[in-house]
Amino acid sequence: MSEQRIFNRDSFLDNIAKQLGRERVTTPVARPNLKYNCHKDVFADKSPDELKAILVDYTETTLASQALVTTKDKLTETLRNVCFHYCTDDGEGLNPIGETIFTADNRLLDIVNPKDLAKKQHGVYIWDHSAGYDANIAVAERAKVGVVFAEQALAESGTMVLYSQAAQGRAVSLLPEASVFIVPKSNIVPRLTQATELLHQKAQNGERIPSCVNFISGPSSTADIELIKVVGVHGPVFATYIIIDDM
């Protein structure tokens, strides 16, 4: 972080040291050498296909969500079926009504054209950073489906990792009734350990860190009251993971 953006740091740290009754430590503290790295051993011996199978199984059982495996060539067809299903009351996807909002992430737009999903009563909107906050939020609020591209998927917990960026606002995955996450098979990792390690490496390399990193495991739910699980309390009611098998 730029020194110009840090205010009152010294006085703040001096006050903490004073309250602790000691001199302020100004030299770096050596990192301890951990004897065990068991957190890195979980699923370390699994192949990409095995991690994919673990992710699919956990998603469909524990998270009670949908996980689909497709290819780049069939991605448009798969997306059409999923989005149309969520946009029709009959579940057949024959006459979809409503809107789907898409990420503007080029990694997805390079392999699928969202406009191919548009029909007479089904609109498709691509997140447009240049349009400003209000215009994008208005669409995300009324959209039935939000389609995003995930940085990673965590096999152990059925979690999708999203980086907030200009091309993909947080609202795309949080405001619509259903969230659809697209992730390449090559981006499936064992667990949170690998996801945070990548962020650490970016920081060490001086790369820009996203302003927000979301770890999303299935639809919105809570069991705070009487340990009764309620879905859709503060976010999407439905979630579908689409894994691109040949990426």
Side-chain angles (χ1 to χ4, degrees):
M1 182 180 290
S2 171
E3 289 291 334
Q4 286 75 22
R5 295 180 61 187
I6 302 176
F7 303 98
N8 302 318
R9 179 178 62 180
D10 290 337
S11 60
F12 176 76
L13 295 176
D14 286 342
N15 184 53
I16 291 178
K18 180 180 178 181
Q19 296 300 320
L20 293 174
R22 61 166 173 78
E23 294 292 324
R24 177 181 158 194
V25 178
T26 57
T27 55
V29 178
R31 290 176 176 269
N33 292 320
L34 299 178
K35 183 178 180 181
Y36 302 105
N37 288 307
C38 56
H39 56 290
K40 294 184 178 181
D41 296 335
V42 178
F43 298 156
D45 60 338
K46 302 299 183 182
S47 68
D49 283 318
E50 288 174 319
L51 289 176
K52 178 186 68 177
I54 293 170
L55 173 66
V56 170
D57 179 68
Y58 191 91
T59 300
E60 294 183 339
T61 55
T62 305
L63 298 182
S65 297
Q66 182 176 218
L68 304 173
V69 179
T70 189
T71 62
K72 287 187 291 184
D73 291 340
K74 295 182 178 179
L75 179 58
T76 298
E77 178 184 353
T78 303
L79 271 171
R80 182 184 295 114
N81 292 336
V82 170
C83 293
F84 285 7
H85 170 76
Y86 286 131
C87 289
T88 54
D89 293 332
D90 58 16
E92 297 297 328
L94 299 178
N95 298 295
I97 300 175
E99 282 183 285
T100 292
I101 182 170
F102 262 80
T103 174
D105 194 315
N106 286 328
R107 291 172 296 181
L108 179 59
L109 299 185
D110 285 345
I111 55 177
V112 64
N113 181 2
K115 297 301 182 182
D116 290 340
L117 277 66
K119 292 191 74 173
K120 185 177 181 180
Q121 297 186 77
H122 178 255
V124 174
Y125 179 88
I126 301 175
W127 182 269
D128 183 4
H129 176 65
S130 65
Y133 176 85
D134 291 336
N136 285 289
I137 294 299
V139 177
E141 284 179 332
R142 67 174 184 260
K144 284 277 190 177
V145 185
V147 180
V148 293
F149 193 89
E151 301 296 327
Q152 293 170 303
L154 314 184
E156 182 185 45
S157 56
T159 302
M160 292 291 163
V161 183
L162 302 182
Y163 291 175
S164 181
Q165 53 171 307
Q168 181 166 281
R170 282 168 278 181
V172 181
S173 66
L174 298 177
L175 293 184
E177 184 178 340
S179 289
V180 178
F181 302 86
I182 314 295
V183 65
K185 180 176 70 175
S186 58
N187 287 9
I188 302 176
V189 298
R191 65 202 310 247
L192 189 63
T193 301
Q194 289 73 30
T196 54
E197 185 174 2
L198 178 60
L199 289 169
H200 176 69
Q201 291 173 354
K202 287 180 176 294
Q204 292 292 93
N205 295 335
E207 298 178 38
R208 182 181 181 276
I209 301 298
S211 60
C212 178
V213 179
N214 285 328
F215 296 90
I216 302 175
S217 304
S220 166
S221 63
T222 182
D224 289 344
I225 302 175
E226 300 291 337
L227 296 180
I228 299 173
K229 185 174 182 179
V230 180
V231 177
V233 175
H234 40 58
V237 181
F238 308 104
T240 292
Y241 297 168
I242 299 179
I243 302 164
I244 307 176
D245 206 30
D246 53 351
M247 282 185 69

